[in-house]
Amino acid sequence: MDIDRARTFLEIVHTGSFLKASDRLHVTQTTVSARIRTLEEGLGRQLFVRTRNGATLTPAGREFERFAQSFVQIWERARQQLTIPPGRTSVVALGGELSLWNPLLLDWLVWMKREQPKIAIHAHVGVPDQLLEQLRTGVLDLAVLYAPKLLPGFKVELVEEEQLVLVRTPARDDEPLDYVHVDWGPQFAAEAGFGQAAFGEPGLLVGLGPLGLNYILRAGGMGYFRRGVAAPHIQAGELELVAGAPEFTYPAYAVYPESAEGRSDVQDALRGLKEVVVRQ
């Protein structure tokens, strides 16, 4: 089966539309239609029902989805393995959200170098939707995310349960401190006692924890941040915990294809993530 046809099929499944799939693949809608027609002719089954609102899978299409997924992942796996550096036995491609790289995934990279020196690493930084897309298409073997969407054919394992704590810069002449709201997700925003539910509309809203933290370190303010990241600044006297403020559990998860359960290198990478968390 042609790899472009498999990718096109999965892109239509993901977007729900031939038109959106053509935009994402940077090809014409005619090309998308031709690829699916050729695929359907080869399989002898109709895969999609096209409607005014998009495209939905037929029963045969739903059955074919897992095979197409496996095919694309195997292709990407083969492509990566052909680039194994000399002296290494395999490659593991791992992606994570930016705020997870320091310290968790940075510590993991060091652990892998020390404990699994024969495994080459491809490290990716991205936003959740991008990482899940790379995981779905086989570019990544493993992704570490805060709130992953459930994908058919993938496993999800808890890696870390971090606490979000409210911190502030030390008071300066009793001037009021602005609350900086970090978008830790809809559950955090809606929870009573946290975020906008507790402080009202903030003067600054950011979508990235490290950006919000560095802002209040320079300009002053208060906000919720991961305990492990805030701890060095608390010890240095740059920040202080707000007494009596509620804390919020913010877990991180590892997501990987079910087929990777039989890969020793991916399982070694997972073991390393868990050992790094224990040692923190």
Side-chain angles (χ1 to χ4, degrees), residues 66-85:
R66 60 191 179 97
F67 293 106
Q69 189 82 65
S70 297
F71 178 69
V72 171
Q73 290 169 359
I74 290 170
W75 174 269
E76 285 295 334
R77 175 70 178 157
R79 190 175 62 81
Q80 290 178 12
Q81 291 305 303
L82 291 176
T83 64
I84 296 176

Side-chain angles (χ1 to χ4, degrees), residues 8 10 18 33 39 48 52 55 85-86 96 158 167 184 254-255 258 265:
T8 301
L10 291 173
F18 277 57
S33 297
L39 188 57
F48 291 101
R52 186 178 302 174
L158 177 67
V167 296
W184 295 111
V255 187
E258 291 178 351
D265 53 356

Side-chain angles (χ1 to χ4, degrees), residues 145-162:
L145 307 159
Y146 282 121
K149 299 175 184 176
L150 296 179
L151 298 174
F154 288 85
K155 300 276 288 184
V156 178
E157 289 191 24
L158 177 67
V159 172
E160 178 182 40
E161 282 195 299
E162 182 108 62

Side-chain angles (χ1 to χ4, degrees), residues 54-128:
T56 59
L57 286 170
T58 64
R62 285 193 294 272
E63 182 67 19
F64 178 69
E65 181 181 1
R66 60 191 179 97
F67 293 106
Q69 189 82 65
S70 297
F71 178 69
V72 171
Q73 290 169 359
I74 290 170
W75 174 269
E76 285 295 334
R77 175 70 178 157
R79 190 175 62 81
Q80 290 178 12
Q81 291 305 303
L82 291 176
T83 64
I84 296 176
R88 305 298 176 99
T89 57
S90 67
V91 176
V92 170
L94 179 142
E97 295 185 46
L98 178 59
S99 57
L100 281 166
W101 277 100
N102 188 17
L104 173 62
L105 295 180
L106 177 57
D107 290 345
W108 172 79
L109 286 175
V110 174
W111 185 95
M112 290 294 290
K113 177 178 175 59
R114 183 180 66 249
E115 301 293 335
Q116 299 293 334
K118 294 290 186 180
I119 299 176
I121 303 297
H122 291 178
H124 300 252
V125 180
V127 296

Side-chain angles (χ1 to χ4, degrees), residues 70-260:
S70 297
F71 178 69
V72 171
Q73 290 169 359
I74 290 170
W75 174 269
E76 285 295 334
R77 175 70 178 157
R79 190 175 62 81
Q80 290 178 12
Q81 291 305 303
L82 291 176
T83 64
I84 296 176
R88 305 298 176 99
T89 57
S90 67
V91 176
V92 170
L94 179 142
E97 295 185 46
L98 178 59
S99 57
L100 281 166
W101 277 100
N102 188 17
L104 173 62
L105 295 180
L106 177 57
D107 290 345
W108 172 79
L109 286 175
V110 174
W111 185 95
M112 290 294 290
K113 177 178 175 59
R114 183 180 66 249
E115 301 293 335
Q116 299 293 334
K118 294 290 186 180
I119 299 176
I121 303 297
H122 291 178
H124 300 252
V125 180
V127 296
D129 286 346
Q130 177 190 34
L131 294 171
L132 286 173
E133 178 70 9
Q134 292 175 328
L135 191 67
R136 187 178 63 82
T137 56
V139 174
L140 294 179
D141 299 309
L142 186 65
V144 185
L145 307 159
Y146 282 121
K149 299 175 184 176
L150 296 179
L151 298 174
F154 288 85
K155 300 276 288 184
V156 178
E157 289 191 24
L158 177 67
V159 172
E160 178 182 40
E161 282 195 299
E162 182 108 62
Q163 296 295 118
L164 296 179
V165 296
L166 184 62
V167 296
R168 54 172 286 165
T169 47
R172 302 171 185 172
D173 301 325
D174 296 325
E175 65 176 303
L177 293 174
D178 291 332
Y179 171 70
V180 175
H181 180 74
V182 179
D183 183 8
W184 295 111
Q187 184 179 354
F188 172 79
E191 190 78 21
F194 300 99
Q196 291 163 289
F199 298 98
E201 291 298 326
L204 175 63
L205 189 152
V206 298
L208 184 65
L211 174 60
L213 182 62
N214 283 306
Y215 172 82
I216 70 168
L217 286 170
R218 294 181 61 178
M222 61 190 299
Y224 272 94
F225 300 96
R226 295 164 54 212
R227 182 187 293 276
V229 174
H233 301 288
I234 294 172
Q235 294 172 1
E238 299 171 311
L239 297 174
E240 58 188 26
L241 285 169
V242 176
E247 298 181 357
F248 185 79
T249 301
Y250 200 62
Y253 300 89
V255 187
Y256 58 95
E258 291 178 351
S259 58

